[in-house]
């Protein structure tokens, strides 16, 4: 028998909890296990979840969901039942949500680490639009990048708008700024926690450069040439970008390369550049540039310890490669 006095929250939970326990299902299958809930209510909830992108028809169109199998667009256990219910009962704007449940207030009270990814997105997005709140937009982004967060920095504003139209230019800029600031904080923390290292061997130099230039190896779309300056104990002093663009002996002038090394009072340097292709194999030009810089270094009394090439998840020592 269908109850006509069931509390709205309980009614939603009776529909959503059985769905969350299944990777895929049909409307009829869910209706059969939702005791005390009308068929119309079940259909309405599933239709809403499908329109919002939480559910995806497997073998039918949205117009014929009654005969379609559906699956979750993300791991079902990551779907926040309570949050979704609140959005239905309290409206789509965060200003209609109880103060203590809003992302900013929760962050201040609990700390950023206690917030869900969707809530962090919502804080950066700031404002929603009619029909979709910042938190709902955050849920869409969190679901889309649930297992591919590493791809987020490469998305443009047009691609994000395809996920949720709430993404405005200011919201996009805030998300990208948040990503970059997080990276810089992580790099600073990593640098603070690192023990002093001596780059006396190719293996140690490769490991150091892979960590220091991980972003360059994975994100850069064109070649960049850098140097790492070292003291008399071969401990890093600093690192400097010299050029951006295809590595060419005519462009990488010794004057530009060794100016920051002289300023750092460096005893030695490690040369480094990236291969956006993902293949670290040295080119003839790479070797020519290295020979040219080694000759110049001899004249000014600075040692070129190695030339490291980073590409994707790999790195290569030119010194090791040539001694094979």
């Amino acid at each position: 028998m269908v109850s006509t006095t069931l509390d709205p929250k309980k009614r939603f939970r009776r529909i959503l909890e059985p769905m969350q326990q299944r990777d895929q299902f049909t409307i009829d299958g869910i209706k059969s296990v939702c005791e005390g809930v009308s068929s119309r209510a079940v259909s309405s909830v599933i239709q809403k979840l499908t329109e919002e992108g939480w559910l995806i028809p497997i073998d039918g169109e949205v117009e014929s969901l009654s005969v379609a199998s559906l699956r979750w667009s993300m791991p079902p256990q990551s779907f926040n039942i309570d949050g979704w219910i609140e959005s239905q009962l309290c409206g789509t704007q965060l200003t209609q949500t109880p103060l203590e449940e809003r992302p900013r207030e929760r962050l201040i009270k609990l700390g950023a680490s206690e917030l869900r990814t969707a809530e962090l997105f919502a804080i950066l997005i700031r404002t929603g639009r009619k029909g979709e709140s910042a938190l709902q937009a955050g849920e869409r982004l969190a679901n889309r990048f649930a297992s591919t967060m590493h791809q987020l920095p490469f998305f443009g504003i047009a691609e994000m708008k395809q996920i949720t139209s709430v993404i405005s230019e200011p919201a996009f800029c805030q998300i990208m700024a948040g990503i970059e600031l997080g990276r810089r904080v992580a790099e600073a923390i990593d640098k603070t926690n690192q023990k002093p290292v001596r780059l006396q061997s190719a293996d140690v130099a490769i490991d150091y450069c892979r960590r220091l230039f991980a972003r360059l190896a994975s994100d850069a779309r064109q070649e960049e040439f850098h140097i790492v300056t070292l003291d008399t104990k071969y401990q890093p002093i600093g690192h400097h970008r010299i050029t951006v663009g295809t590595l060419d002996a005519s462009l990488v002038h010794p004057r530009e390369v060794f100016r920051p090394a002289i300023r750092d009072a460096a005893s030695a340097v490690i040369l480094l550049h990236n291969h956006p292709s993902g293949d670290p194999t040295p080119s003839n030009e790479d070797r020519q540039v290295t020979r040219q810089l080694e000759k110049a270094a001899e004249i000014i009394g600075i040692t070129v310890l190695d030339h490291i090439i980073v590409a994707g998840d790999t790195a290569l020592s030119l010194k090791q490669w040539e001694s094979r």
Side-chain angles (χ1 to χ4, degrees):
M1 180 177 178
V2 177
S3 172
T4 57
T5 59
L6 195 63
D7 175 82
K9 286 189 177 181
K10 290 183 179 179
R11 181 171 64 250
F12 276 129
R13 294 196 71 86
R14 286 194 184 183
I15 299 170
L16 295 169
E17 287 177 348
M19 291 167 55
Q20 194 176 48
Q21 295 168 8
R22 296 162 170 79
D23 292 326
Q24 64 181 65
F25 48 83
T26 62
I27 289 183
D28 288 342
I30 294 299
K31 286 178 179 178
S32 67
V33 294
C34 293
E35 183 180 351
V37 180
S38 70
S39 295
R40 182 177 179 181
V42 174
S43 298
S44 176
V45 168
I46 291 180
Q47 184 75 36
K48 183 70 173 176
L49 291 172
T50 303
E51 291 173 354
E52 293 180 356
W54 300 105
L55 298 177
I56 301 174
I58 298 174
D59 53 7
E61 301 297 331
V62 174
E63 291 79 6
S64 57
L65 284 179
S66 59
V67 296
S69 293
L70 301 108
R71 65 176 177 83
W72 290 94
S73 61
M74 72 299 181
Q77 294 307 315
S78 66
F79 177 71
N80 185 343
I81 289 180
D82 290 329
W84 190 85
I85 292 174
E86 287 299 328
S87 73
Q88 304 307 303
L89 299 180
C90 299
T92 61
Q93 299 302 315
L94 289 180
T95 53
Q96 296 174 288
T97 304
L99 189 64
E100 67 278 6
E101 295 179 13
R102 298 178 197 172
R104 291 183 194 174
E105 283 69 21
R106 280 172 43 76
L107 186 149
I108 292 171
K109 181 179 179 181
L110 304 174
S113 63
E114 295 299 313
L115 269 62
R116 296 180 298 111
T117 302
E119 293 176 299
L120 296 174
F121 271 127
I123 291 173
L124 293 171
I125 293 169
R126 296 187 64 182
T127 58
R129 61 169 178 78
K130 185 176 181 180
E132 185 171 0
S133 69
L135 184 55
Q136 287 174 316
E139 295 281 7
R140 287 180 181 272
L141 291 172
N143 292 334
R144 168 60 180 81
F145 295 104
S147 59
T148 57
M149 193 63 75
H150 61 284
Q151 296 178 355
L152 180 59
F154 306 111
F155 269 60
I157 186 170
E159 294 171 303
M160 283 200 184
K161 278 184 172 293
Q162 291 178 359
I163 302 171
T164 168
S165 59
V166 168
I167 297 296
S168 60
E169 186 172 298
F172 174 77
C173 290
Q174 283 158 188
I175 291 173
M176 291 297 112
I179 292 171
E180 181 58 29
L181 183 59
R183 278 175 165 171
R184 295 186 186 187
V185 170
E187 287 176 0
I189 292 173
D190 184 57
K191 186 176 181 180
T192 300
N193 293 334
Q194 285 179 12
K195 296 179 180 179
V197 59
R198 292 186 178 185
L199 308 184
Q200 293 176 297
S201 71
D203 289 338
V204 174
I206 287 173
D207 181 65
Y208 176 83
C209 290
R210 284 182 66 178
R211 287 186 287 105
L212 182 63
F213 295 98
R215 177 183 168 190
L216 175 66
S218 62
D219 293 6
R221 292 295 180 262
Q222 55 184 326
E223 290 190 9
E224 294 185 18
F225 185 81
H226 295 243
I227 65 167
V228 178
T229 54
L230 310 171
D231 62 18
T232 56
K233 295 181 179 179
Y234 296 154
Q235 295 181 150
I237 300 172
H239 56 92
H240 309 271
R241 185 171 70 177
I242 308 301
T243 64
V244 177
T246 302
L247 197 64
D248 188 297
S250 64
L251 297 178
V252 184
H253 196 283
R255 179 179 59 250
E256 304 305 322
V257 173
F258 294 109
R259 179 180 290 136
I262 293 171
R263 189 169 55 244
D264 286 356
S267 175
V269 297
I270 289 178
L271 312 177
L272 178 138
H273 80 284
N274 64 306
H275 281 182
S277 65
D279 180 4
T281 304
S283 66
N284 290 333
E285 196 65 43
D286 295 341
R287 299 166 69 185
Q288 182 182 348
V289 167
T290 305
R291 299 291 86 80
Q292 173 183 299
L293 294 176
E294 285 176 337
K295 290 178 181 179
E298 289 179 9
I299 296 173
I300 59 177
I302 292 178
T303 303
V304 174
L305 283 187
D306 207 337
H307 187 162
I308 305 297
I309 302 172
V310 295
D313 296 328
T314 62
L316 177 148
S317 157
L318 184 58
K319 186 176 181 180
Q320 277 187 339
W321 187 84
E322 290 185 329
S323 64
R324 294 180 303 171

